[in-house]
């Protein structure tokens, strides 16, 4: 965050200041009163379960310099900036800070896609770090709150700003690009995630393509040439296009991709006559495309190809619950991919499990949300894939995920909730089994991972309980 007075912030966001207008905000903007840094700006958002206005006093106690609110709070212990719409004001403040930093040389790299956004964002941040100070979202901060909060973590020393952009409908990404106009914009893929909200794949493609429409002619669109809907976005931008993928026409070509003995993707990337072989220390073949996208974006930002590609070899996962590997005290491997799920990412994870563990593999799967009328069929296909892949069992958690069991047939075990899932796993797992846990984030299946990792957890072939 660049240093701004309360009075200046009020001018920027078209609000009014209450209290000392000369008070300075010197630290990042936050929406959680428990994590306000000294000198930070607390933004009082209204959520489904809490109203930030009830926590202004707590934010002040943590050292907040001021609060952004939508109504007067008599007796507030910090200066206030009062606006009609806190979310809109947050976006305006972020755009102002972005414009100041862009004038000083900041390069903004934005990406979207139906799957792989967060993993690619993390890879890109890792690749960019040696080239200059880099700010990237923590986790999946990719909406109308997350994007401005990411921008407002940048300061005058920041060279690269990485922004993940999500959408639930037309116009959402265009709005986010107004907050953080990109210099480099990537579209990873167009898939069935949120297809129920978009209304079909063509509308999904229209929404995702808004990110390249936002580029200036001097910018670069980074497009996955292996996805026909993404390839077609070349006509939607005045910027130059850098293609990636296995397609022979790709500027950054994924020339080979295979799992090594540890389940990590070993890949060869080729660009401008140079070839780099690297093993990415993350689980799953699907990370090959993510790696190619990250390197392509870095190249578009001026990072030498060989340096960017070689950097992948040290890129361990940054965000939680994304193919994170754990080994329990009695030798069960638990892979936590419980943050989110869609048909493409679910298929990729199940395929990885089958390739890595075969009949030792157990998939614990919950529902995939926001799939509309296709939901039952898309769930059933996941179950069919698991059955064909030779896994030992599929534990289907919750009624919404039931169609997975229909596809999985006799290898399916249906349980009502996380508690029943844990009870079944504790009674049936053996040392050296590999357990994949995956669902959309509403399923809270990370609790299965936590329970299996707890000390003294007993597996069927392990030591007796204490």
């Amino acid at each position: 965050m660049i240093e701004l007075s309360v009075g200046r912030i009020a001018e920027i966001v078209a609000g009014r200041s209450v209290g000392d207008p000369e008070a300075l905000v010197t630290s990042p903007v936050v929406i959680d009163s428990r994590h306000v840094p000294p000198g930070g700006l607390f933004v009082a958002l209204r959520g489904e379960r809490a109203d930030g206005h009830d926590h202004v006093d707590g934010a002040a106690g943590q050292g907040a310099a001021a609060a952004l609110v939508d109504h007067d709070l008599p007796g507030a212990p910090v200066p206030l900036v009062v606006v009609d719409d806190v979310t809109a004001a947050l976006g305006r403040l972020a755009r102002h800070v972005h414009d100041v930093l862009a004038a000083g040389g900041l390069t903004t790299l934005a990406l979207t896609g139906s799957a792989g956004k967060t993993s690619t964002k993390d890879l890109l941040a890792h690749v960019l770090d040696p080239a200059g100070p880099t700010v990237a979202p923590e986790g999946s901060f990719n909406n109308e709150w997350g994007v401005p909060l990411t921008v407002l973590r940048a300061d005058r020393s920041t060279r690269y700003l990485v922004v993940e952009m999500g959408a639930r409908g037309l116009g959402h990404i265009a709005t986010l690009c107004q907050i953080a106009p990109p210099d480099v914009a990537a579209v990873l893929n167009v898939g069935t995630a949120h297809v129920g909200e978009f209304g079909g794949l063509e509308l999904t493609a229209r929404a995702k393509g808004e990110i390249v429409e936002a580029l200036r002619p001097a910018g670069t669109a980074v497009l996955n040439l292996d996805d026909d809907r993404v390839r077609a976005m070349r006509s939607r931008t005045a910027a130059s296009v850098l293609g990636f993928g296995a397609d022979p026409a790709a500027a950054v070509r994924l020339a080979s991709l295979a799992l090594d003995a540890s389940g990590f993707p070993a890949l060869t990337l080729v660009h401008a006559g140079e070839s780099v072989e690297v093993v990415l220390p993350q689980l799953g073949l699907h990370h090959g495309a993510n790696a190619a996208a990250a390197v392509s974006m870095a190249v578009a930002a001026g990072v030498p190809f060989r340096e960017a590609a070689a950097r992948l070899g040290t890129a361990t996962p940054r965000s939680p619950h994304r193919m994170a590997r754990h080994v329990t005290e009695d030798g069960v491997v638990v892979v936590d991919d419980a943050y989110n799920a869609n048909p493409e990412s679910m298929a990729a994870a199940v395929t990885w499990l089958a390739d890595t563990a075969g009949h030792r593999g157990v998939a614990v799967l919950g529902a995939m949300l926001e799939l509309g009328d296709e939901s039952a069929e898309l769930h059933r296909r996941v179950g069919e894939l698991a059955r064909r892949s030779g896994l030992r069992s599929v534990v289907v958690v919750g009624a919404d995920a039931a169609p997975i069991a229909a596809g999985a047939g006799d290898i399916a075990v249906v349980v009502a909730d996380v508690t029943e899932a844990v009870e079944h796993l504790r009674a049936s797992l053996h040392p050296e089994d590999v357990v994949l846990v995956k669902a959309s984030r509403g399923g809270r299946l990370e609790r299965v991972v936590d329970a299996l990792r707890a000390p003294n957890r007993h597996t069927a072939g392990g030591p007796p309980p204490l």
Side-chain angles (χ1 to χ4, degrees):
M1 177 68 174
I2 62 175
E3 184 175 292
L4 292 168
S5 70
V6 168
R8 179 64 180 128
I9 291 173
E11 291 175 6
I12 292 166
V13 302
R16 57 186 176 85
S17 63
V18 176
D20 182 8
E22 301 301 320
L24 291 177
V25 172
T26 58
S27 295
V29 176
V30 296
I31 59 175
D32 188 332
S33 62
R34 298 166 298 180
H35 300 141
V36 180
L41 175 67
F42 173 62
V43 177
L45 294 171
R46 297 181 186 273
E48 293 181 1
R49 295 186 296 271
D51 182 350
H53 295 81
D54 296 333
H55 300 280
V56 170
D57 285 4
Q62 293 291 327
L68 180 65
V69 298
D70 65 15
H71 63 275
D72 283 317
L73 297 173
V78 291
L80 306 176
V81 175
V82 184
V83 295
D84 292 332
D85 185 328
V86 171
T87 298
L90 179 63
R92 286 194 291 269
L93 178 60
R95 176 58 187 263
H96 172 82
V97 170
H98 184 274
D99 287 348
V100 170
L101 297 180
L106 177 73
T107 297
T108 300
L109 303 96
L111 60 93
T112 192
S114 296
K117 292 187 295 296
T118 299
S119 296
T120 303
K121 171 266 299 181
D122 288 345
L123 288 173
L124 177 58
H126 180 80
V127 167
L128 291 173
D129 278 341
T134 301
V135 167
E138 298 175 353
S140 288
F141 264 34
N142 61 20
N143 61 12
E144 68 274 19
W145 296 342
V147 169
L149 289 170
T150 300
V151 172
L152 292 168
R153 287 175 47 220
D155 59 29
R156 296 185 191 276
S157 71
T158 306
R159 182 173 178 186
Y160 300 108
L161 174 65
V162 177
V163 183
E164 177 184 336
M165 293 185 175
R168 299 293 177 88
L170 295 175
H172 291 187
I173 288 176
T175 298
L176 298 178
C177 288
Q178 288 293 317
I179 295 171
D183 300 296
V184 176
V187 184
L188 307 180
N189 45 59
V190 174
T192 51
H194 310 303
V195 71
E197 292 191 337
F198 282 108
L201 287 174
E202 295 308 319
L203 287 176
T204 303
R206 280 179 54 191
K208 299 297 184 185
E210 292 169 2
I211 199 170
V212 299
E213 292 176 344
L215 288 164
R216 299 184 301 274
T220 303
V222 175
L223 300 178
N224 180 1
L225 300 190
D226 297 335
D227 185 313
D228 289 342
R229 290 184 175 85
V230 177
R231 178 195 286 267
M233 293 177 191
R234 291 178 295 186
S235 64
R236 295 174 60 179
T237 182
S240 61
V241 174
L242 190 158
F244 71 91
D247 190 288
V252 175
R253 184 165 60 90
L254 186 57
S256 68
L257 177 63
L259 289 180
D260 73 359
S262 299
F264 296 152
L267 55 141
T268 303
L269 294 175
V270 178
H271 171 67
E274 290 189 284
S275 177
V276 175
E277 296 181 1
V278 66
V279 174
L280 180 66
Q282 300 193 29
L283 298 175
L285 276 179
H286 57 288
H287 284 302
N290 297 340
V295 169
S296 299
M297 294 184 74
V299 167
V303 178
F305 166 72
R306 185 167 291 278
E307 293 179 15
R311 179 78 173 154
L312 293 172
T314 56
T316 53
R318 291 189 175 198
S319 297
H321 309 304
R322 290 170 177 83
M323 295 299 283
R325 183 180 185 273
H326 309 282
V327 181
T328 70
E329 64 179 16
D330 40 359
V332 174
V333 176
V334 181
V335 177
D336 177 4
D337 200 31
Y339 180 77
N340 211 348
N342 57 61
E344 291 80 12
S345 67
M346 189 78 89
V350 168
T351 299
W352 170 86
L353 179 63
D355 290 344
T356 303
H359 193 64
R360 292 183 294 110
V362 176
V364 182
L365 306 179
M368 301 176 288
L369 304 180
E370 300 165 354
L371 297 180
D373 294 340
E374 299 287 324
S375 180
E377 174 62 16
L378 292 170
H379 280 82
R380 186 187 63 78
R381 290 178 190 173
V382 168
E384 287 184 343
L385 173 63
R387 176 173 49 80
R388 292 194 308 268
S389 298
L391 301 179
R392 185 168 81 239
S393 68
V394 177
V395 180
V396 181
V397 185
D400 291 343
I404 295 176
D410 59 5
I411 69 167
V413 177
V414 180
V415 297
D417 53 28
V418 166
T419 299
E420 287 191 15
V422 171
E423 290 174 353
H424 169 76
L425 292 166
R426 283 176 169 162
S428 62
L429 290 176
H430 295 78
E432 299 187 0
D433 282 347
V434 181
V435 181
L436 167 73
V437 181
K438 188 165 181 62
S440 284
R441 73 189 86 164
R444 300 287 306 278
L445 259 64
E446 69 275 7
R447 293 178 295 170
V448 173
V449 178
D450 294 341
L452 295 180
R453 294 180 64 199
N456 300 319
R457 191 195 60 76
H458 172 54
T459 55
L466 297 177

